[in-house]
Amino acid sequence: MFLIDCPYCGEREQSEFKAGGEAHIVRPKQPTELSDDEWAEYLFMRKNIKGIQFERWIHIHGCRKWFNVARDTSNDVIKVVYKMGEKPPTI
Amino acid sequence: MTNNLRVKSSKFIDETYKISFKFNGTTYYGYKGDTLASALLASGIHLVGRSFKYHRPRGIMTAGSEEPNAIVQLHINTSRTEPNVRATEIEIYEGLEASSQNCWPSVNFDIGGINNFLSPILPAGFYYKTFMWPASFWEKYEYFIRKSAGLGRSPIEPDPDIYEHRYIHCDVLVIGAGISGIIAAKTAAKNGFKTLLIDEKSYLGGSTIYQNSEHFKINNQISSSWLEKEINEIKKIKNLEIKTRTSVAAFHGYNFLLARENLTDHLPLNQRNNKIRQRLLKIRSKKVINATGSLERPLIFDNNDRPGILLSSAIDKYSNFYGVACGEKNVLFTNNDSAYETAINLNQKGIKVEAVIDNREEVDSKLIKEVENNNIRVYKGYTVVNTSGYKRIKKVSIMKLSLDGQKIIGSKIYINCDCLGISGGWTPAVHLFTQSGGKLKFREEDQVFIPNKSFSDQISIGSCNGDFTLDEILSSVPKILKEFLNIKKSDFENLEVHSSFNKSKRNIWLLPSDKVIGKTKPFVDYQNDATAKDIKLALREGFRSIEHVKRYTTTGMGTDQGKLGNMHALGIISETAGSKMGELGTTTFRPPYTPLTFGTIVGRNVGKYFDIFRKTPIHDWHVENNAEFENVGQWKRAWYYPKNQENMHDAVQRESKAARDGAGILDASTLGKIDIQGTDASEFLNRVYTNAWSKLAIGKCRYGLMLNEDGMVYDDGVTTRLDENHYIMTTTTGGAATVLGKLEDYLQTEWPELDVYLTSVTDHYATISVCGPDSKKIISKVIPDLDLSNKSFPHMSFKNSKIDKIKCRVMRISFTGEHSYEINIQANYGKSVWQRCMEMGKEFNITPYGTETMHLLRAEKGFIIVGQDTDATMTPIDLQMDWIVSKKKYDFIGKRSLYRSDTIKENRKQLIGLLTENPDEVLEEGAQIVADINKSPVEMLGHVTSSYYSPNLKKSIALGVVRGGKSMIGQKLIIPMENKQINVTVADPVFLDKENKRLNA
Ligand SMILES: [Zn+2]
């Protein structure tokens, strides 16, 4: 079980959090202008990489705030935690 | 058999405390401190079980948790019996009863033993190849396979014991209290770290504590005496907690570990009452020190599994620790110096050692010399090629090894014996290290995997790190600890160590035989009966990955997880396939390290504590009025209210009819309620619902569908505009938490610019729904001040009101199709308002109804239940709810997906009504719907989602989803059941009052 450093509350057990998939996938501003393929790209396609992955987490049983995490999927080591809206760090 | 093989008294055994126990029905005696295994061996019992596949007689092989053979059933009674207990771990207690597993009718005469002679037709993968086809036969085979191969019986009554969970936080956790662990715990604690030391045994000191040899000394004291003083010292340290009989089951990432603490299993039965039996420790440690030791390897040769064949180190422990001789004529077979320690020790105790057989050709050491000086014959460069003796070893045959170790030469020599100790060197116990994500490296010199890289703050020390000898341990451990704990000096530096151990080893994974391999039984995994032959067969059949070979041969898949033989399996694969050990990798070591009881895993979370349950403010009334309850998420909801021994069907029919004829009352407090405020609240609703919200007038209610971005229906409910910037949204009971989560997600991550605040108020309000033609009369009595005229208070509108000065919100909304009102009032007034409604409604025969009637009534009206009539593949269009999808809105969640190539297909499953040919025939929910039953294969068109007998329409009605169903109204379809087929007609899903006359009445 990980320890996650919530940017609002501090370090807590993973059981207080919920994962929300890959980060930095912005909802298109004008979905109706998109082709099926473009919409499918947003809707379905995810990187699922082995290595550093930027992903969304929510402190669901805490402050209920969403934030971003850079996690190494090969060993679960969390490199950086940063707030929503911030740019992904270079790692 | 009662011949006493207790040859020497031991300080670890209390001979003044005699304990009687039963094994396979016979009474034996042992002493306090004995395990079941040591007490049986003291009574001359080696044969304790039968092997899994061939039912070969098997004996005690080890003295620890790695035991593959001596697993027994403990039977206290039908609720406390426990299978798969290792005889080498269970401490005997007064009243202990145990029996062999996997044998029938008895361990001495086992019918399954015939498998041994059938073994040429039971190779690796036999079960896969034979019993998997035809698939339908599996059920028949399974019964017999399970009966003949069962590993123990489970209890048939609830577990009466108490278990609990406990969290521990510490600075340093030391796993294993052998010499390395003791040094580590003392070093950490003395330097101010809050330290926890854990060991699975009942005593501290590991294998060093019973070593009593002049060959191993620390500061001129025999190593065990030196260690004993250290142990006495650490027991006094305040910031050091010590837990024995505690086995670490799992080592997860981030230094989170689970351990099982055994508190009462060693106590006499009459001292266990009301005590916690086992405790699951959830440990979070800043630093972890693995001092888990090492396991002795067996040697792989023909018939290496007979009772009386033990690990050399086990024989050593039985004599030194328990004072028990495993045999009267011992032979030792080794590829390293360890077995000589055993030989010397047995000889000192007057236990006869016939010979030591050593793989190594030219080898000499102080230990070997001492053995030879005691007139014990040492055969250097020899190997055991076979053994004989069915229920106990009688003889070994040995032959000379060729120089390359691949062949045998010369003639056979036979040596009589009743016990054979084998030593194939040592394997570091890296299980926990790898569980935590640690990576291993292969050390060529002695063919061992040792810890390499890890991702958490941990270190491995001592023999689990590949330092096997006393001098290696004492020179490496203090240095590693200094660096790991970042301390300046250690008390354990510069100890004077004397160790006679010669480290040379001749590693041959599969020893050569004078027979072809097909005619031999060199066991690699004793518990699963996997031999070297099976592994070679798997490779011949094309398996290459170690994980595949493991599954095909079942090597390492027993309850012992192949602790003894996994390395040999790898070795044989690498030799046969010509690949390097280091490149082959290992199989995954999975938790738990040793099996856990279910009781420990669940702790106190049993029965009514299994999960929390939520009650509505009116719950007590339902209980008092005989309601049956159903679980909806965590809620207990009134399901129906049987009267005078009514069954469910009769109660629901009565309730359903009463609600349409007069009045019904429902506790709807469980519906999710979200308070939405902010200047952008209307805009927000526009984006999350499919229909338009900007123009909804204050005081009006609107039904909404919520989609996922993929266009599929996610939740539904009525939302009311309370004020300009204030709404109250209702959700389904089950969806309340996820809807709030989803809305918060969009607000925080996609539209942070919107000024909207969400608050869950589900628990703040009681919700009472009164429906039926008489509902208006009842509400006018409950709230006399309220103008209920259709003009002032039409369907889908809301009014603030008061009941006895208590504010409430009244909505005129309906989930039944009847004229109905919903009163929302502060939760603590819920029950009294409900009672008032009952009182005022008495003259109209107001009838409380539960969720089942609610479902029936809404089905008559064709209202969907999200999650019952939908399954995350249904769009609003599939549900024939096109009317609720705004064409004008530029965007809302899921809009773009409604015209993807897939969602616009015409033959998608669509919601329809179903009417049966026979109006009394009620369909089964989930039943398949087909058009042509003679076509092969039969094409499944859809399934029934909701089905009831409607007392108001006096016929069976159902909802279902059918491919292209929208255009099939009037068409006949078939529902094939086990013994019959039911003819149905596709109908409009609204069965009652399509014109909404009742709603607006
Ligand atoms: Zn937080």
Side-chain angles (χ1 to χ4, degrees):
Chain A
M1 215 188 315
F2 321 165
L3 286 174
I4 299 174
D5 195 9
C6 171
Y8 305 94
C9 308
E11 201 174 58
R12 297 286 192 280
E13 289 262 354
Q14 185 190 345
S15 57
E16 292 186 16
F17 298 84
K18 199 178 109 184
E22 195 178 323
H24 305 296
I25 295 175
V26 182
R27 187 175 190 273
K29 286 272 175 286
Q30 297 171 316
T32 44
E33 320 265 295
L34 301 182
S35 69
D36 267 13
D37 285 351
E38 287 165 331
W39 180 245
E41 184 68 29
Y42 159 72
L43 202 53
F44 303 121
M45 304 315 279
R46 297 295 182 266
K47 290 199 193 88
N48 191 27
I49 46 173
K50 182 178 179 180
I52 304 287
Q53 174 165 288
F54 299 103
E55 52 194 25
R56 306 174 343 126
W57 283 78
I58 180 174
H59 194 186
I60 189 99
H61 299 296
C63 62
R64 290 187 75 92
K65 288 272 195 192
W66 282 96
F67 55 91
N68 295 314
V69 157
R71 179 176 65 101
D72 189 330
T73 57
S74 67
N75 54 32
D76 287 338
V77 172
I78 292 174
K79 302 277 185 190
V80 191
V81 172
Y82 55 105
K83 291 181 181 174
M84 270 300 152
E86 289 176 13
K87 289 224 163 59
T90 41
I91 297 168
Chain B
M1 271 192 278
T2 49
N3 49 327
N4 193 358
L5 292 165
R6 190 82 60 173
V7 287
K8 190 97 179 164
S9 58
S10 153
K11 63 179 170 182
F12 302 101
I13 297 296
D14 182 357
E15 288 185 55
T16 63
Y17 194 130
K18 203 171 173 184
I19 295 170
S20 70
F21 66 95
K22 273 189 178 170
F23 181 66
N24 286 337
T26 308
T27 302
Y28 299 93
Y29 296 94
Y31 301 114
K32 192 175 183 185
D34 264 325
T35 61
L36 178 58
S38 69
L40 285 172
L41 289 169
S43 305
I45 307 293
H46 276 262
L47 171 62
V48 289
R50 291 278 176 159
S51 72
F52 188 66
K53 197 157 111 187
Y54 305 127
H55 290 244
R56 285 167 66 100
R58 289 282 166 80
I60 296 156
M61 226 193 130
T62 71
S65 59
E66 71 272 32
E67 176 62 37
N69 293 339
I71 50 176
V72 299
Q73 180 99 27
L74 290 186
H75 31 111
I76 296 166
N77 54 41
T78 46
S79 59
R80 285 200 168 94
T81 188
E82 189 175 347
N84 301 327
V85 175
R86 288 158 301 284
T88 50
E89 285 198 300
I90 184 86
E91 298 168 57
I92 58 166
Y93 50 83
E94 196 59 48
L96 171 76
E97 275 185 54
S99 58
S100 302
Q101 294 184 171
N102 203 28
C103 57
W104 183 80
S106 80
V107 71
N108 274 302
F109 176 72
D110 175 22
I111 283 179
I114 198 160
N115 282 4
N116 189 31
F117 304 105
L118 296 178
S119 65
I121 64 161
L122 287 172
F126 173 72
Y127 290 107
Y128 292 122
K129 286 169 184 164
T130 313
F131 295 121
M132 286 306 173
W133 190 261
S136 60
F137 271 35
W138 172 247
E139 282 174 37
K140 296 183 178 71
Y141 293 134
E142 194 189 13
Y143 174 79
F144 291 102
I145 293 171
R146 292 229 184 275
K147 199 175 160 74
S148 66
L151 271 179
R153 298 182 310 274
S154 40
I156 53 173
E157 282 169 47
D159 190 337
D161 286 322
I162 309 166
Y163 303 83
E164 72 170 20
H165 290 179
R166 200 185 130 191
Y167 288 90
I168 298 182
H169 295 265
C170 55
D171 296 325
V172 176
L173 168 67
V174 182
I175 311 168
I179 186 165
S180 304
I182 299 286
I183 291 173
K186 188 177 173 189
T187 308
K190 283 271 184 189
N191 280 283
F193 293 96
K194 188 186 166 203
T195 306
L196 174 64
L197 172 65
I198 282 183
D199 197 283
E200 62 179 1
K201 300 277 193 304
S202 59
Y203 58 89
L204 301 175
S207 61
T208 310
I209 202 67
Y210 54 86
Q211 214 161 36
N212 193 16
S213 165
E214 292 287 333
H215 291 283
F216 302 98
K217 285 184 156 180
I218 303 168
N219 283 354
N220 244 336
Q221 305 160 58
I222 287 176
S223 56
S224 55
S225 313
W226 179 87
L227 186 58
E228 204 175 316
K229 281 182 203 138
E230 292 296 324
I231 291 171
N232 287 336
E233 271 188 48
I234 65 163
K235 283 180 179 165
K236 294 175 206 147
I237 305 177
K238 288 233 164 53
N239 54 330
L240 171 64
E241 190 181 0
I242 301 172
K243 285 191 177 292
T244 52
R245 296 189 178 98
T246 303
S247 169
V248 173
F251 187 168
H252 296 294
Y254 289 73
N255 283 353
F256 181 70
L257 299 94
L258 297 173
R260 185 254 299 128
E261 185 180 15
N262 227 332
L263 298 161
T264 62
D265 280 357
H266 60 289
L267 298 177
L269 292 177
N270 59 13
Q271 287 177 30
R272 298 184 186 183
N273 289 344
N274 301 319
K275 288 186 180 141
I276 292 162
R277 183 189 170 204
Q278 290 171 346
R279 195 181 269 148
L280 186 72
L281 306 177
K282 301 178 176 183
I283 306 165
R284 183 76 76 169
S285 184
K286 288 187 186 126
K287 288 170 171 285
V288 176
I289 298 172
N290 295 297
T292 47
S294 53
L295 303 170
E296 194 168 28
R297 292 178 187 175
L299 290 162
I300 312 300
F301 53 89
D302 192 13
N303 290 313
N304 60 347
D305 68 325
R306 299 194 187 281
I309 301 179
L310 290 89
L311 294 179
S312 158
S313 59
I315 294 176
D316 195 49
K317 182 170 183 186
Y318 284 117
S319 73
N320 260 339
F321 189 93
Y322 301 103
V324 171
C326 292
E328 287 165 300
K329 278 184 291 182
N330 296 279
V331 171
L332 295 158
F333 178 27
T334 189
N335 67 4
N336 70 99
D337 255 17
S338 306
Y340 292 92
E341 286 180 55
T342 309
I344 292 165
N345 159 35
L346 292 180
N347 193 56
Q348 274 172 358
K349 294 190 168 61
I351 305 167
K352 181 99 177 103
V353 179
E354 299 285 333
V356 178
I357 297 138
D358 195 328
N359 277 351
R360 296 172 296 179
E361 185 71 39
E362 281 167 32
V363 65
D364 210 0
S365 74
K366 278 188 188 166
L367 295 174
I368 298 174
K369 274 214 178 70
E370 188 178 334
V371 168
E372 286 177 325
N373 289 343
N374 280 293
N375 292 321
I376 296 168
R377 177 75 196 267
V378 176
Y379 293 90
K380 289 182 190 171
Y382 274 80
T383 179
V384 172
V385 291
N386 203 348
T387 65
S388 62
Y390 187 55
K391 289 178 199 164
R392 175 82 181 259
I393 189 167
K394 285 189 183 131
K395 205 189 284 179
V396 296
S397 47
I398 67 170
M399 288 177 94
K400 186 99 178 142
L401 276 167
S402 65
L403 274 182
D404 65 359
Q406 298 301 304
K407 286 189 287 293
I408 31 105
I409 45 178
S411 53
K412 245 184 236 178
I413 301 169
Y414 296 93
I415 306 169
N416 290 330
C417 64
D418 62 358
C419 182
L420 172 66
I422 52 178
S423 175
W426 298 83
T427 297
V430 293
H431 310 70
L432 294 175
F433 172 78
T434 57
Q435 275 182 24
S436 75
K439 300 279 181 260
L440 302 172
K441 67 178 171 212
F442 190 66
R443 193 166 70 190
E444 286 289 342
E445 306 97 87
D446 55 349
Q447 305 276 299
V448 293
F449 282 103
I450 52 173
N452 187 17
K453 243 173 91 181
S454 79
F455 304 103
S456 54
D457 198 358
Q458 61 164 312
I459 201 81
S460 296
I461 57 168
S463 62
C464 73
N465 193 34
D467 294 331
F468 298 121
T469 65
L470 191 63
D471 48 340
E472 281 176 334
I473 291 170
L474 289 176
S475 73
S476 69
V477 169
K479 272 190 222 137
I480 296 173
L481 289 175
K482 261 169 69 180
E483 199 191 318
F484 181 63
L485 299 173
N486 194 20
I487 51 176
K488 292 222 165 54
K489 69 178 196 34
S490 158
D491 296 349
F492 298 99
E493 281 173 305
N494 310 317
L495 293 173
E496 195 188 309
V497 184
H498 170 74
S499 168
S500 303
F501 201 90
N502 175 340
K503 287 194 287 181
S504 84
K505 174 173 144 186
R506 187 183 190 188
N507 199 87
I508 304 170
W509 294 116
L510 173 60
L511 291 156
S513 166
D514 57 330
K515 289 189 241 166
V516 294
I517 184 147
K519 304 253 183 226
T520 63
K521 282 223 175 64
F523 286 93
V524 175
D525 181 328
Y526 294 82
Q527 196 174 94
N528 273 337
D529 265 356
T531 66
K533 185 170 66 183
D534 295 323
I535 293 171
K536 290 196 173 225
L537 174 71
L539 291 165
R540 222 166 48 234
E541 293 190 355
F543 291 91
R544 285 293 173 271
S545 151
I546 167 74
E547 295 285 357
H548 290 156
V549 173
K550 166 179 163 172
R551 279 156 185 78
Y552 193 57
T553 61
T554 71
T555 304
M557 290 174 71
T559 59
D560 61 340
Q561 295 197 27
K563 291 189 181 74
L564 293 184
N566 273 346
M567 282 301 292
H568 304 81
L570 285 172
I572 292 164
I573 292 168
S574 98
E575 276 176 1
T576 312
S579 46
K580 277 184 134 182
M581 282 283 274
E583 289 159 14
L584 206 56
T586 61
T587 54
T588 316
F589 300 105
R590 291 196 170 81
Y593 179 68
T594 51
L596 289 174
T597 58
F598 282 111
T600 310
I601 295 167
V602 293
R604 305 247 174 177
N605 304 324
V606 289
K608 64 177 175 177
Y609 303 114
F610 178 70
D611 195 7
I612 54 167
F613 63 91
R614 300 171 77 182
K615 298 183 291 188
T616 76
I618 309 163
H619 183 84
D620 291 347
W621 189 93
H622 306 316
V623 173
E624 286 154 22
N625 286 273
N626 203 28
E628 293 290 333
F629 290 87
E630 86 168 319
N631 296 324
V632 183
Q634 287 171 324
W635 288 101
K636 295 274 171 209
R637 292 200 73 179
W639 195 11
Y640 59 97
Y641 302 79
K643 259 187 182 172
N644 316 320
Q645 267 83 55
E646 267 178 332
N647 61 23
M648 177 168 162
H649 175 81
D650 293 344
V652 170
Q653 295 288 307
R654 172 181 52 76
E655 291 171 12
S656 302
K657 197 141 179 13
R660 294 226 191 272
D661 291 350
I665 181 167
L666 173 82
D667 180 1
S669 307
T670 63
L671 288 182
K673 295 178 269 294
I674 301 169
D675 186 272
I676 302 174
Q677 300 191 41
T679 52
D680 293 318
S682 303
E683 170 62 17
F684 181 63
L685 290 174
N686 260 334
R687 296 187 191 185
V688 300
Y689 277 130
T690 60
N691 44 355
W693 290 77
S694 323
K695 288 184 188 136
L696 184 72
I698 295 168
K700 295 289 181 193
C701 314
R702 183 164 285 176
Y703 173 77
L705 266 190
M706 211 178 272
L707 311 185
N708 273 326
E709 287 288 14
D710 62 7
M712 304 305 156
V713 172
Y714 176 77
D715 204 77
D716 68 345
V718 170
T719 295
T720 303
R721 190 166 199 174
L722 302 172
D723 208 335
E724 177 67 24
N725 297 319
H726 190 187
Y727 291 83
I728 181 107
M729 172 188 279
T730 58
T731 72
T732 58
T733 298
T738 47
V739 168
L740 179 67
K742 184 186 162 88
L743 300 183
E744 282 180 334
D745 187 351
Y746 275 90
L747 271 183
Q748 286 182 37
T749 68
E750 297 293 352
W751 309 317
E753 70 281 4
L754 293 186
D755 175 40
V756 177
Y757 301 88
L758 306 173
T759 310
S760 166
V761 293
T762 302
D763 294 291
H764 303 48
Y765 294 96
T767 305
I768 298 161
S769 170
V770 179
C771 79
D774 292 328
S775 58
K776 193 186 226 172
K777 293 174 208 154
I778 296 167
I779 298 299
S780 69
K781 284 173 75 185
V782 175
I783 319 173
D785 301 340
L786 200 58
D787 178 359
L788 295 177
S789 67
N790 269 346
K791 190 159 178 257
S792 150
F793 201 176
H795 181 54
M796 295 308 266
S797 62
F798 134 87
K799 277 182 189 269
N800 278 314
S801 188
K802 277 182 183 172
I803 301 175
D804 290 356
K805 296 182 191 159
I806 309 301
K807 279 193 233 165
C808 63
R809 292 173 183 155
V810 184
M811 279 88 169
R812 188 171 161 196
I813 51 177
S814 173
F815 190 43
T816 59
E818 291 300 318
H819 187 128
S820 74
Y821 299 91
E822 207 180 89
I823 302 170
N824 287 274
I825 193 156
Q826 195 177 307
N828 49 331
Y829 298 107
K831 195 179 162 192
S832 61
V833 172
W834 173 280
Q835 281 168 320
R836 184 171 297 187
C837 291
M838 287 302 296
E839 213 178 291
M840 302 297 178
K842 209 169 184 176
E843 58 176 301
F844 306 101
N845 185 30
I846 191 167
T847 302
Y849 65 91
T851 49
E852 192 63 22
T853 291
M854 173 183 85
H855 287 177
L856 192 160
L857 294 172
R858 65 85 207 178
E860 288 177 337
K861 185 71 181 138
F863 290 152
I864 58 156
I865 291 186
V866 174
Q868 177 163 341
D869 302 299
T870 72
D871 63 358
T873 66
M874 304 292 287
T875 68
I877 292 84
D878 297 336
L879 292 168
Q880 303 214 41
M881 292 171 80
D882 315 46
W883 54 271
I884 204 170
V885 180
S886 164
K887 303 274 183 308
K888 289 183 201 140
K889 278 200 294 181
Y890 180 69
D891 191 16
F892 56 83
I893 296 171
K895 173 166 178 154
R896 176 61 186 83
S897 290
L898 295 180
Y899 54 94
R900 287 179 53 237
S901 57
D902 188 54
T903 45
I904 55 173
K905 278 186 188 154
E906 304 235 314
N907 68 336
R908 289 177 59 82
K909 284 187 182 168
Q910 291 150 353
L911 186 83
I912 41 90
L914 292 167
L915 291 170
T916 49
E917 199 174 75
N918 170 3
D920 292 332
E921 177 102 68
V922 179
L923 299 173
E924 270 186 40
E925 289 175 358
Q928 294 291 324
I929 303 170
V930 307
D932 184 354
I933 205 155
N934 298 314
K935 199 168 140 190
S936 181
V938 177
E939 193 189 353
M940 304 295 183
L941 293 182
H943 64 275
V944 178
T945 58
S946 297
S947 173
Y948 306 90
Y949 183 82
S950 161
N952 299 303
L953 299 161
K954 299 202 171 52
K955 65 180 177 188
S956 154
I957 55 164
L959 298 173
V961 292
V962 168
R963 259 179 217 297
K966 268 196 233 181
S967 55
M968 290 167 77
I969 307 293
Q971 204 167 313
K972 300 232 183 292
L973 292 174
I974 297 165
I975 307 219
M977 300 303 291
E978 203 173 5
N979 309 313
K980 59 181 172 186
Q981 66 175 59
I982 303 168
N983 298 324
V984 295
T985 308
V986 180
D988 188 279
V990 184
F991 299 101
L992 182 130
D993 188 28
K994 193 154 184 166
E995 308 77 34
N996 292 336
K997 282 187 194 142
R998 287 167 170 265
L999 274 182
N1000 298 311

